[in-house]
Amino acid sequence: MIGYYIHHHGLGHRNRATQIARELGVPVTGFSSLERPADWPGEWVQLPQDLAEQPVDPTANGVLHWAPLGHPGYRERMGIMAEHLRRGLDLMVTDTSAEVTLLARLMGVPTVVMAMRGDRTDRTHCAAYDAATALIAPWSRETAEDYWPEEWTRKTTFTGAISRFDAAGGVDGVAPGAAEQGALAAEAEHGPVAAGTEAEPADGAEQVPADEATANGTAASAVPGAGRRVLVVWGRGGTVVGDAEVDAARAATPGWSWLVRTPDNPSPDLWREIHEADVVVSHGGNNAVAELSAAEAHAVVVAQPRPHDEQAYTVAALDRAGICVGLQEWPESERWPQLLEQALALGGKRWQVWRHGDGAQRAARAMEGILQGNAS
């Protein structure tokens, strides 16, 4: 039996965990404050919340990330997982929590940590990564972080990007079926998307009929001023980019129509819209980038501020590999014409360096290998 802890921030951790869990050939129990996803394949234990406005010594004098003293919810959730570990979990996967990783290891249970981009050299991350039986990195070995110690790299499975569109067979320009598209769009990393419903375009966004797209999903025209399309895929929280920034970019790029998709203006068919766009502009979140890779999109990826510079490291890796246009911050409006042309010139084939097309399966096989005594 595999236990699988899933962080409650956003929906990206749960989406990825569900994809991997569905590829496992052994029973799996999910642990999270989030509700059970409809397609989770096993038991689901919904944990009590551990949020606190005025936590008492939550870092244990800098040793941990979150372990507030005297918090009943925190104590209860750790106790619930400890009881399951005591009763017979054979492996604990964390996506992601240093404290749960260390709890499982202290109870003599092998652990797998889903690694994250960014600077993970702080005391707590080092303890979790060092103690883990194995690490799984949802990126390719070719684009790995160069600061990692050999001890981490040696026990890591590099799965390549893990995209919801891989699970639906939506690769190489072949779109998933309608039912699969609805399921995929339902819980994007950027927030809930209402599948099967029509959404109005953002103010000023020009819609272009789908039949004008080419067979590979890109716009039929690639000459300046011929109605080329930009799709902006953006989130709701933790962003420094708003309507004013997008409107300025739109005004600076005559001949390009801009369509903005957010949780407040969701896409009825995100996969189709990604393919129909000449260029996709996105933040640097792990799942968003994975889905760009599945579509081999011409892309401009802009890092947003995140703990441990996670998106900054992702964008830097994209830029080093020459995969797409990678930016550390939203650019001045006058730069957008050149940036869009640069994204077109780069094309989308370099995404093959970022992904293998079967990331969830690779992760599942690595977990099962540990159960069989074949740790990396």
Side-chain angles (χ1 to χ4, degrees), residues 201-202 205-207 230-232 250 257-261 265 273:
E206 177 185 342
Q207 294 276 36
V230 178
L231 173 67
V232 181
R250 181 186 288 118
S257 62
W258 288 62
L259 176 62
V260 181
R261 293 304 191 190
N265 182 40
E273 290 188 343

Side-chain angles (χ1 to χ4, degrees), residues 161-172:
I162 299 175
S163 166
R164 297 168 298 147
F165 295 126
D166 291 340
V171 293
D172 299 327

Side-chain angles (χ1 to χ4, degrees), residues 148-169:
W148 273 29
E150 174 58 29
E151 291 78 10
W152 293 1
T153 301
R154 188 167 53 244
K155 61 182 179 181
T156 297
T157 297
F158 295 93
T159 65
I162 299 175
S163 166
R164 297 168 298 147
F165 295 126
D166 291 340

